[in-house]
Amino acid sequence: MNLLVELCLKLSTDLKEALDRLNQNPQNSSRPPSSQEPWKGKSNKDEDPPGDKSNGSDSELTEKDYLSDTKTSSDDTNNEQENENSSKDQKKKQHNNNDVTNRAPGKQPGAKGFGLKFGTNIKISEEIIHKPDHCHSCGAQFSEETHFKSWTGRDEIELTTPLSGVGLALIKTRHIYQEAECSCGHHTREEPGRCKKEDGWTVELTEWHMAGPNLVTFIASLSQRQRISRVRIHEFLLDWLGLHVSVGTINQCIHEAGRALSAVLPEIINEIRQAELLYADETSWKESKTALWLWVFTCATATLFIVGRREKRIAQKILCGFDGWLMSDGYRVYRDYDWRLRCWAHLIRKARGLAQSTEQQAQKFGKRTLNLLEMLMESIYQARENTPKIDLDKQHAKRLDLFCKFCEAHWDCEHKKTKELAREFIHDWGAIWRILEYPSLPLTNNEAERALRHWVISRRISFGTRTPEGTAVFTSIASVIDTCYKRKVTPWKYISEVIRLRRKGLSVPPLPVAV
Ligand SMILES: [Zn+2]
């Protein structure tokens, strides 16, 4: 008989757990928004325009929206779902085209290449002669009488804006390089620029490449910002600009842009370290078959992406010398950091999940936690409007004391998720309630999550990166694009200028300043 009772109890617990799991959704658990059924999302809405990312004035609204239920997450779902479908479509199409199930990425053996046709149908509009102005051996200046001889040349195809000021135009320029013999006997040659070898990079950064800096930037933007595959970029350039660029050359352009921009990263890291308020988050990333993490650190003036293992060392390296506020989710590596803030959205989702549980103890714990968080949130919003006479942490000290005891009472709770949340509150006590002392600080890590969103969709389309160099290309370009948008500046002019200078072996210009 006893056995039967025990069995009944066990079955009933199992059933409750199964029911709870069935009821989980992105609003009451840490399940990703993409796990939500597509028919449960709200109306289709486009992704936020990049300019909105750092808009301080509407941060209150976004934060409230973010904390109040489903809005942000369901938008996410639609976006990702849509993209997931399109990536499936793409896969399906590729599959149909090739009729091969497990084909390797890139150009297929026997497939038609377009490399040789690169820009041959454009007429040369200008010829530029480059001659040395002094002897590279003795330093003597060359004069008008010096006899110059052409020794090499290259053609460059560049993307420009036509005289009308709108639209796109392609021009081809012929660059002729000359040499001269000095009276000292030395032959001095002017030659196309080339950046010296750099660790970790195999792609060349040089003026010898036929695509000009603007065209390289354009291709990088189609790939990284518009998330178009290399094959489709090839198709787009051919169909709309009449330009033949092989998929291999497109890949080379993207890699060259990535290498050029890697020199901007030290300045971005410096900005991150000097930030007063920094948001950090991480998500999974795949490099070939290795499971890695994509980390983001974002502040008012910069955004930095890093791909690596999920370990403390990475955070420590980036945050070396940082002494501002750090907003993060519950991730452990940030725990020994003093000036830390915790994202309440994560806590609210977990508490809501428990409140909706069929298990009585969990339900009770969840409801009380949710009520407390919602009440304090209201109090924080009011404090932002009018400074309260008594500080919030003092106002609510008694309430928090009781809640602490309540959490301690659940330290060994039989319900796993209740126990975990109770322990999370105790472990992170200071970081969670710090906002009460400084109500003007943010309540959520929305800023970092939004920074990741665009690249999470890219990951779904491209299935991550394939090589360490490809990963470095991705993080450099992504960091510079997002940093420029944080500064409300379009990144493309700056990126093109960085490529132009780096091809000559020169150092990079400082990041553009917000207008
Ligand atoms: Zn000389």
Side-chain angles (χ1 to χ4, degrees):
M1 192 61 192
N2 256 351
L3 266 177
L4 206 60
V5 171
E6 230 171 75
L7 182 68
C8 280
L9 279 174
K10 190 174 181 313
L11 281 177
S12 123
T13 325
D14 284 356
L15 185 65
K16 277 177 182 173
E17 252 179 46
L19 275 174
D20 286 351
R21 210 170 301 146
L22 203 63
N23 286 333
Q24 273 180 12
N25 63 45
Q27 282 76 54
N28 64 14
S29 69
S30 44
R31 285 180 56 175
S34 54
S35 64
Q36 185 165 321
E37 297 86 342
W39 56 87
K40 285 200 177 154
K42 286 186 183 170
S43 66
N44 251 341
K45 196 184 139 193
D46 283 339
E47 206 193 345
D48 296 305
D52 280 4
K53 279 189 174 173
S54 58
N55 201 335
S57 60
D58 67 8
S59 68
E60 175 91 359
L61 190 77
T62 358
E63 185 178 277
K64 271 188 181 169
D65 284 347
Y66 187 70
L67 283 165
S68 71
D69 232 52
T70 60
K71 193 171 176 285
T72 326
S73 321
S74 63
D75 288 350
D76 240 357
T77 316
N78 280 327
N79 250 319
E80 295 195 5
Q81 198 65 43
E82 205 179 282
N83 280 282
E84 199 168 35
N85 287 340
S86 74
S87 95
K88 274 181 191 154
D89 276 349
Q90 219 172 356
K91 262 169 70 188
K92 211 164 135 194
K93 274 179 197 154
Q94 272 175 12
H95 173 74
N96 287 342
N97 285 343
N98 292 287
D99 242 7
V100 183
T101 17
N102 285 325
R103 64 179 209 115
K107 182 178 170 289
Q108 298 305 298
K112 200 176 160 197
F114 290 93
L116 288 174
K117 283 189 172 176
F118 186 34
T120 42
N121 46 353
I122 311 172
K123 279 197 188 122
I124 291 167
S125 58
E126 197 189 350
E127 204 172 89
I128 299 172
I129 292 171
H130 304 264
K131 42 177 118 181
D133 60 358
H134 66 274
C135 168
H136 287 178
S137 173
C138 72
Q141 290 289 319
F142 292 130
S143 65
E144 276 175 26
E145 280 102 64
T146 312
H147 177 68
F148 289 100
K149 219 168 56 186
S150 302
W151 72 276
T152 194
R154 67 178 177 100
D155 289 343
E156 182 181 82
I157 295 171
E158 185 58 311
L159 197 66
T160 60
T161 311
L163 285 176
S164 65
V166 285
L168 293 174
L170 284 168
I171 51 159
K172 191 173 186 177
T173 312
R174 176 152 293 172
H175 294 264
I176 305 284
Y177 294 84
Q178 297 193 324
E179 61 179 1
E181 192 185 347
C182 174
S183 50
C184 77
H186 185 79
H187 278 268
T188 298
R189 280 178 165 179
E190 193 64 13
E191 49 193 313
R194 189 193 294 275
C195 179
K196 278 190 206 140
K197 274 210 167 314
E198 288 169 322
D199 275 351
W201 294 100
T202 58
V203 68
E204 289 241 49
L205 188 49
T206 173
E207 287 180 338
W208 281 108
H209 287 158
M210 207 170 183
N214 284 338
L215 183 55
V216 171
T217 305
F218 183 62
I219 289 172
S221 85
L222 291 178
S223 163
Q224 303 291 299
R225 186 70 193 166
Q226 309 303 330
R227 309 189 195 101
I228 306 177
S229 74
R230 283 140 170 86
V231 175
R232 290 291 168 90
I233 294 174
H234 162 79
E235 183 187 305
F236 175 83
L237 294 175
L238 187 61
D239 289 355
W240 292 94
L241 297 176
L243 182 68
H244 290 272
V245 191
S246 72
V247 172
T249 307
I250 287 169
N251 190 54
Q252 177 195 287
C253 288
I254 299 166
H255 276 237
E256 195 182 5
R259 179 176 165 189
L261 295 176
S262 67
V264 183
L265 297 184
E267 194 188 342
I268 295 182
I269 294 175
N270 209 22
E271 284 285 312
I272 295 287
R273 285 179 180 155
Q274 285 172 11
E276 277 173 33
L277 170 61
L278 187 64
Y279 301 81
D281 201 3
E282 60 288 319
T283 183
S284 59
W285 189 264
K286 245 184 156 178
E287 182 186 287
S288 186
K289 282 175 185 149
T290 321
L292 296 172
W293 289 89
L294 169 62
W295 300 62
V296 64
F297 298 91
T298 184
C299 63
T301 55
T303 300
L304 176 74
F305 293 96
I306 290 177
V307 169
R309 299 192 182 280
R310 203 179 193 201
E311 53 190 27
K312 218 171 179 171
R313 214 159 36 90
I314 292 183
Q316 280 171 337
K317 209 172 127 191
I318 297 304
L319 298 178
C320 170
F322 167 72
D323 67 350
W325 289 104
L326 178 69
M327 165 62 87
S328 70
D329 56 13
Y331 184 29
R332 248 165 245 248
V333 298
Y334 305 117
R335 251 182 209 169
D336 47 9
Y337 189 76
D338 286 341
W339 299 97
R340 204 162 57 86
L341 300 165
R342 267 296 307 268
C343 174
W344 278 32
H346 285 79
L347 298 169
I348 286 175
R349 277 203 289 266
K350 285 179 190 170
R352 193 177 292 135
L354 292 180
Q356 289 169 4
S357 166
T358 43
E359 214 281 324
Q360 262 191 345
Q361 227 180 350
Q363 204 185 81
K364 207 179 131 206
F365 185 83
K367 278 185 178 160
R368 176 158 172 193
T369 309
L370 198 59
N371 283 342
L372 177 72
L373 289 172
E374 280 171 352
M375 194 271 290
L376 291 176
M377 241 159 57
E378 206 37 60
S379 195
I380 289 165
Y381 291 144
Q382 278 169 17
R384 286 179 186 176
E385 303 272 317
N386 306 302
T387 318
K389 282 187 194 122
I390 308 166
D391 288 346
L392 292 186
D393 55 326
K394 293 195 180 81
Q395 258 184 57
H396 299 287
K398 240 189 190 156
R399 203 169 264 125
L400 289 182
D401 263 358
L402 287 173
F403 184 67
C404 184
K405 290 201 177 81
F406 183 61
C407 287
E408 278 164 2
H410 288 80
W411 181 265
D412 281 319
C413 180
E414 280 163 20
H415 190 260
K416 193 169 161 264
K417 294 216 156 153
T418 307
K419 177 177 83 183
E420 280 170 2
L421 188 59
R423 289 187 177 192
E424 193 174 342
F425 270 102
I426 291 170
H427 281 311
D428 253 359
W429 194 260
I432 292 171
W433 309 119
R434 184 149 292 138
I435 179 95
L436 297 173
E437 287 169 66
Y438 307 92
S440 60
L441 288 171
L443 267 168
T444 75
N445 202 13
N446 192 14
E447 202 69 16
E449 288 176 20
R450 279 167 77 182
L452 279 178
R453 200 186 304 162
H454 175 90
W455 309 104
V456 166
I457 297 168
S458 300
R459 181 193 66 200
R460 283 164 183 273
I461 295 172
S462 66
F463 305 103
T465 41
R466 296 195 190 107
T467 59
E469 186 166 329
T471 304
V473 166
F474 157 70
T475 48
S476 308
I477 300 181
S479 300
V480 174
I481 290 178
D482 281 21
T483 295
C484 288
Y485 280 131
K486 275 260 153 160
R487 294 161 174 246
K488 300 188 172 64
V489 180
T490 10
W492 317 116
K493 238 188 193 165
Y494 174 73
I495 292 178
S496 176
E497 183 63 3
V498 170
I499 296 170
R500 194 182 69 79
L501 293 170
R502 291 265 284 150
R503 277 181 168 181
K504 290 179 188 294
L506 301 171
S507 51
V508 293
L511 282 163
V513 183
V515 225

